[in-house]
Amino acid sequence: MRIAVFTGSHAGPPSHADAAAAFARDLAEAGVGIVYGGGHVGMMGVVADAALAAGGEVVGVIPQHLVDDEVAHPGLPRLEVVQSMHERKAVMADLADAFVALPGAAGTLEELFEAWTWGMLGLHAKPTALFDVDGFWQPLLTQLQRMVDDGYLDAARLDALGVVSDAKALLAFVECYRHPPRKWTAPPPRR
């Protein structure tokens, strides 16, 4: 099994880095591979380094322009270099069995929402979760609940988004995950 990890290229507070390192180490020790953005910087680097140190499989996927900017992790046994950010997300999705967002910024949100939306549209049936460190994702969850309350988001979609606090909880969520029906389905053809 591989988990796609979305997280920031900035370090964030020490408590987040410590939690990310423990999370990655625990995944590696459980025999779960990590697919991530391929960088050596920020939380991405913390995740990769911790998983590698624990003997885990780590696959980086990075666009050529970030390799050119010297952001690629030099110690990865497998680094997929792609041409665009769009291709990066598609390759990560193909390589992963589930998705998790650790604390991060706009790019992390964009990756999270694309993976989650693809599931809603029936493009995959893979679990998507938030790794909530120090209540980081609570404001987002409040906003998502507002979307449910105002009728923009089905409650079943929000219920299907996991919220976990460690690797063990993520793996339990993935194991028990039941994907909700597709958001849009074509009506049966008329006869």
Side-chain angles (χ1 to χ4, degrees):
M1 177 191 318
R2 288 190 192 119
I3 305 288
V5 175
F6 306 135
T7 193
S9 60
H10 291 297
S15 63
H16 291 192
D18 292 345
F23 181 76
R25 182 179 57 251
D26 290 349
L27 287 178
E29 290 173 357
V32 176
I34 291 174
V35 178
Y36 85 113
H40 68 84
V41 295
M43 292 281 280
M44 287 196 302
V46 168
V47 166
D49 290 343
L52 289 169
E57 177 195 30
V58 180
V59 179
V61 183
I62 192 167
Q64 182 64 54
H65 76 273
L66 291 177
V67 173
D68 296 343
D69 291 339
E70 300 181 354
V71 176
H73 194 298
L76 295 178
R78 181 174 173 191
L79 181 67
E80 301 277 336
V81 180
V82 297
Q83 293 308 304
S84 69
M85 296 295 279
H86 295 294
E87 188 180 357
R88 175 198 227 179
K89 291 179 291 183
V91 170
M92 288 177 70
D94 286 343
L95 292 172
D97 300 298
F99 308 95
V100 63
L102 278 63
T108 302
L109 285 172
E110 190 268 338
E111 291 169 325
L112 163 71
F113 281 119
E114 185 161 73
W116 192 35
T117 301
W118 285 356
M120 288 182 205
L121 297 174
L123 300 176
H124 68 71
K126 299 174 183 181
T128 303
L130 301 169
F131 177 61
D132 197 25
V133 180
D134 296 338
F136 183 83
W137 292 116
Q138 292 307 306
L140 175 63
L141 291 166
T142 298
Q143 179 60 48
L144 293 172
Q145 184 59 54
R146 171 72 187 264
M147 293 174 184
V148 170
D149 295 344
D150 287 354
Y152 292 107
L153 177 64
D154 293 332
R157 305 284 170 208
L158 182 53
D159 291 344
L161 180 65
V163 181
V164 300
S165 59
D166 58 31
K168 183 178 178 181
L170 175 66
L171 296 177
F173 168 73
V174 168
E175 185 174 323
C176 296
Y177 182 75
R178 298 294 173 260
H179 194 70
R182 287 179 53 190
K183 179 178 180 180
W184 304 110
T185 57
R190 290 185 180 203
R191 295 179 188 237

